[in-house]
Amino acid sequence: MSAVETTREDFAALLDESFGRADVNEGAVVKGIVVAIEKDLAIIDIGLKTEGRVALREFAGPGRESAIKVGDEVEVYLERVENAMGEAVLSRDKARREESWVKLEKAFTANEKVFGVIFNQVKGGFTVDLDGAVAFLPRSQVDIRPIRDVGPLMHNQQPFQILKMDRRRGNIVVSRRTVLEETRAEQRHELVQNLEEGQAIDGVVKNITDYGAFVDLGGIDGLLHVTDIAWRRVNHPTEVLNIGQTVKVKIIKINHETHRISLGMKQLLGDPWEGIEAKYPVEARFKGRVTNITDYGAFVELEPGIEGLIHVSEMSWTKKNVHPGKIVSTSQEVEVQVLEVDSAKRRISLGLKQTLQNPWEAFAEKYAPGAVVEGEVKNKTEFGLFLGLDGDVDGMVHLSDLDWNRPGEQVIDEYRKGDMVKAVVLDVDVEKERISLGIKQLAGDPFAEAGEVKKGAIVTCEVTDVKDGGIEVKLTGTDLSAFIKRSELARDRNDQRPERFSVGDKLDARVTLFDRKARKVQVSVKALEIAEEKEAVAAYGSQDSGASLGDILGAALKQRAAADEGEKED
């Protein structure tokens, strides 16, 4: 090698050393040496005999302070190699941001946590410094539960999970809540592994709801349901528990998949339902306190932890369709009778009305059949009247027992609600809770008082009504009425005319039917005339052989008239 060539190589090496690296490009992150610090600026030599100035504040940031000194090697972002003043335009912030984006993208891809500092509050959330890169933290992702004061979380370095990254737009979305949930899940899993079903443990009441309370067992919550607080009825957990109260509970069940824990307090105490049949035998009577009233009945506490139900049907003998709240009230002390005990289902059926005298039994003792009672018309139905009687019971007068002679459908219209009516007790059925009454029985039974009236007897009748089909008559000397059809008004067809009669007329007729059981009576003028004809033929037909029927009847009539005249003279 010649001397000239050696000189050229040495010169090139010296030139490279003088101007520094040849691969320094604008828009890239380069390394430089801090050569001086003047007031709030750091002078950095990046080679190529080029220096730039960077504000000291760019070396600081949320959660960290500037600690650079002369001689430190730092990375900066080269925006331009030379400006108008001949200096390089450098930025530590942009260098850190470029460096952070590379690290964050790797963490995002690997689903790893990153560390940052919440340093500002913006609309809908907060901004987080991730070592130079600024990310957005939505308010919903700050904590597991909504928090009012975020102050303690500001300016403290803590882990975050990257939810979304878009380098082109410069957007990064992070979550603190996800990190907390993972940490909490790990802690819960570890805590759950140390717990066992049936274990008794102390806990602190953390929250109270309508259906129970959440108890902190040392980092994991368990649910204490309201029905497991005490053996007695607890309407709301606040009756027994307070937030912050330390309680001893028993672990009833652990779900290792969901990490849900069910707790109980009453399970630590003796079961009051053991031997319940011997303690509360059927038909025995006890006193208790009404604890709850529903549409279907009332619950009565017999002792702490033991409640029985008085069904609405067992509350009153007479009030059938009344809400239980109108019969008993909460906290009222009542006497009840045990009707049924089911220890397997933990149920006791109680009766309130059984402690009172059955009003139908009381009525039967006071009023025997045949007694006359008086009551108010409570209701009218298609089959009779209901009367309110002593003891708050009702009696019914059937349509057939309203009147002896007229149809019940016609008679019932004469009665109105509120009318005071007298009636006769016909029957009392205590088991079926029925009282049968009769109004027509007050006037006596006309069939029982019919006297000599019987089938075949001749009776005198008075016309009470004239109709096209016949006449209504009343048997004189009785309360019996009958209807004589047109065909029964005379033997002779020409005389079978109802218009021959007027109201008030009297006539004789023959009883053709008298049935006390069926309560029917029928009379006939035609039957009487036929009977009289037969008697006349039997009496006079043999004396005058060959005599006509007219002669026989004429003789019979003359004899009867003479007999009647003799009776008048006597």
Side-chain angles (χ1 to χ4, degrees):
M1 183 179 294
S2 64
V4 176
E5 290 177 348
T6 303
T7 303
R8 287 177 179 175
E9 290 177 357
D10 292 342
F11 178 77
L14 291 172
L15 186 63
D16 287 341
E17 184 180 352
S18 174
F19 284 94
R21 301 183 308 276
D23 58 349
V24 176
N25 298 318
E26 291 184 351
V29 176
V30 299
K31 291 184 178 181
I33 303 296
V34 179
V35 296
I37 296 177
E38 299 176 355
K39 295 185 179 180
D40 56 351
L41 297 173
I43 301 172
I44 301 173
D45 180 7
I46 61 170
L48 300 176
K49 297 300 182 179
T50 303
E51 295 179 348
R53 300 171 184 269
V54 179
L56 291 178
R57 59 177 173 77
E58 291 193 29
F59 292 92
R64 63 182 183 276
E65 297 179 356
S66 173
I68 63 170
K69 59 184 182 297
V70 175
D72 287 350
E73 185 181 59
V74 295
E75 289 185 344
V76 291
Y77 181 82
L78 178 59
E79 296 187 31
R80 290 201 305 274
V81 175
E82 187 175 332
N83 61 9
M85 299 175 63
E87 294 181 345
V89 180
L90 306 175
S91 172
R92 173 58 185 162
D93 284 342
K94 290 185 179 181
R96 185 183 294 111
R97 189 177 304 116
E98 288 294 323
E99 181 182 354
S100 294
W101 268 94
V102 174
K103 293 180 180 178
L104 294 174
E105 285 176 340
K106 291 181 180 179
F108 180 58
T109 303
N111 196 30
E112 296 176 348
K113 300 179 182 62
V114 296
F115 285 86
V117 177
I118 303 174
F119 67 91
N120 192 22
Q121 183 170 345
V122 295
K123 183 178 180 181
F126 305 87
T127 51
V128 180
D129 177 33
L130 300 177
D131 195 21
V134 178
F136 175 65
L137 173 64
R139 187 175 293 275
S140 61
Q141 296 296 323
V142 175
D143 206 317
I144 297 174
R145 295 185 179 89
I147 56 176
R148 295 181 180 179
D149 185 12
V150 193
L153 302 179
M154 301 282 285
H155 309 296
N156 293 322
Q157 194 172 44
Q158 51 196 311
F160 296 90
Q161 188 77 37
I162 300 176
L163 302 180
K164 181 179 179 182
M165 285 190 73
D166 188 340
R167 187 160 187 171
R168 185 174 60 86
R169 296 183 178 180
N171 293 337
I172 304 175
V173 180
V174 296
S175 171
R176 179 176 176 269
R177 174 178 178 173
T178 303
V179 176
L180 294 177
E181 287 177 344
E182 290 181 2
T183 304
R184 184 181 181 187
E186 294 173 359
Q187 293 174 347
R188 286 172 64 90
H189 179 74
E190 184 178 351
L191 288 170
V192 169
Q193 296 304 316
N194 297 326
L195 298 177
E196 296 179 358
E197 293 183 2
Q199 178 182 355
I201 187 172
D202 288 333
V204 178
V205 179
K206 189 174 182 180
N207 190 25
I208 295 178
T209 67
D210 291 338
Y211 55 85
F214 289 93
V215 180
D216 185 359
L217 303 178
I220 186 170
D221 292 347
L223 175 61
L224 174 61
H225 197 271
V226 64
T227 57
D228 290 312
I229 294 176
W231 290 107
R232 66 178 179 85
R233 176 182 293 273
V234 177
N235 295 317
H236 197 275
T238 52
E239 296 177 7
V240 181
L241 305 174
N242 297 310
I243 294 178
Q245 177 182 353
T246 300
V247 292
K248 183 174 285 295
V249 293
K250 184 177 183 179
I251 299 176
I252 301 174
K253 186 176 182 181
I254 299 176
N255 188 325
H256 290 279
E257 294 181 1
T258 61
H259 292 168
R260 291 184 179 177
I261 302 174
S262 299
L263 306 174
M265 287 177 61
K266 71 180 184 181
Q267 287 77 3
L268 296 173
L269 305 173
D271 188 352
W273 286 88
E274 292 182 1
I276 197 70
E277 291 92 343
K279 190 182 295 185
Y280 295 99
V282 175
E283 294 188 359
R285 295 185 180 184
F286 300 90
K287 288 187 178 181
R289 181 178 60 87
V290 178
T291 57
N292 191 29
I293 297 175
T294 67
D295 292 337
Y296 54 85
F299 288 91
V300 176
E301 184 181 56
L302 300 175
E303 65 174 79
I306 299 295
E307 282 187 344
L309 172 65
I310 308 175
H311 193 267
V312 64
S313 62
E314 305 294 343
M315 301 195 80
S316 173
W317 289 108
T318 57
K319 298 175 182 178
K320 302 296 184 181
N321 298 315
V322 177
H323 190 275
K326 294 186 178 180
I327 300 176
V328 295
S329 58
T330 305
S331 300
Q332 178 183 349
E333 185 175 307
V334 293
E335 185 180 18
V336 292
Q337 181 170 310
V338 179
L339 304 181
E340 182 182 0
V341 179
D342 189 334
S343 58
K345 294 182 179 179
R346 296 175 178 267
R347 294 178 181 175
I348 298 180
S349 298
L350 303 174
L352 181 65
K353 69 181 184 181
Q354 287 78 2
T355 61
L356 307 172
Q357 185 180 14
N358 186 330
W360 282 272
E361 290 181 354
F363 186 89
E365 293 175 1
K366 187 175 181 181
Y367 300 100
V372 177
V373 294
E374 185 176 16
E376 179 184 350
V377 177
K378 295 290 187 180
N379 195 18
K380 291 170 59 176
T381 68
E382 59 183 8
F383 47 83
L385 293 176
F386 283 90
L387 305 184
L389 304 174
D390 290 348
D392 203 21
V393 296
D394 291 344
M396 190 191 79
V397 183
H398 194 270
L399 289 177
S400 60
D401 290 312
L402 289 174
D403 193 277
W404 289 112
N405 302 313
R406 294 181 296 163
E409 294 81 1
Q410 176 184 344
V411 180
I412 196 171
D413 292 335
E414 299 176 2
Y415 296 92
R416 299 287 182 271
K417 283 186 178 181
D419 290 351
M420 295 301 296
V421 178
K422 289 185 177 182
V424 175
V425 177
L426 303 181
D427 181 59
V428 180
D429 190 329
V430 176
E431 184 177 346
K432 294 183 179 180
E433 300 180 351
R434 293 178 183 175
I435 299 174
S436 298
L437 304 174
I439 293 178
K440 70 181 183 181
Q441 286 79 1
L442 290 169
D445 186 352
F447 276 85
E449 301 173 358
E452 299 298 325
V453 177
K454 60 182 179 180
K455 184 176 181 180
I458 299 173
V459 294
T460 301
C461 304
E462 181 179 348
V463 179
T464 57
D465 193 12
V466 179
K467 300 180 179 179
D468 291 340
I471 60 175
E472 291 276 358
V473 297
K474 180 181 180 183
L475 280 63
T476 57
T478 71
D479 290 328
L480 299 175
S481 297
F483 181 75
I484 305 177
K485 299 179 181 178
R486 174 188 288 268
S487 60
E488 300 295 327
L489 289 176
R491 183 175 182 277
D492 190 345
R493 192 177 185 84
N494 293 329
D495 294 331
Q496 293 176 351
R497 293 176 290 107
E499 58 270 20
R500 292 172 48 217
F501 302 93
S502 300
V503 175
D505 290 352
K506 291 187 177 181
L507 55 97
D508 289 339
R510 185 183 181 91
V511 178
T512 57
L513 174 66
F514 187 79
D515 190 337
R516 294 181 186 274
K517 187 174 182 180
R519 309 190 66 77
K520 290 183 179 180
V521 59
Q522 293 178 1
V523 296
S524 171
V525 177
K526 177 180 178 180
L528 176 61
E529 291 178 349
I530 292 174
E532 289 178 343
E533 180 179 312
K534 288 182 179 180
E535 290 178 4
V537 171
Y540 299 100
S542 60
Q543 294 178 1
D544 296 320
S545 179
S548 66
L549 180 59
D551 295 337
I552 295 173
L553 291 178
L557 290 174
K558 286 181 180 179
Q559 182 177 350
R560 181 176 178 180
D564 291 342
E565 189 67 28
E567 290 178 359
K568 290 180 181 179
E569 290 179 358
D570 293 337

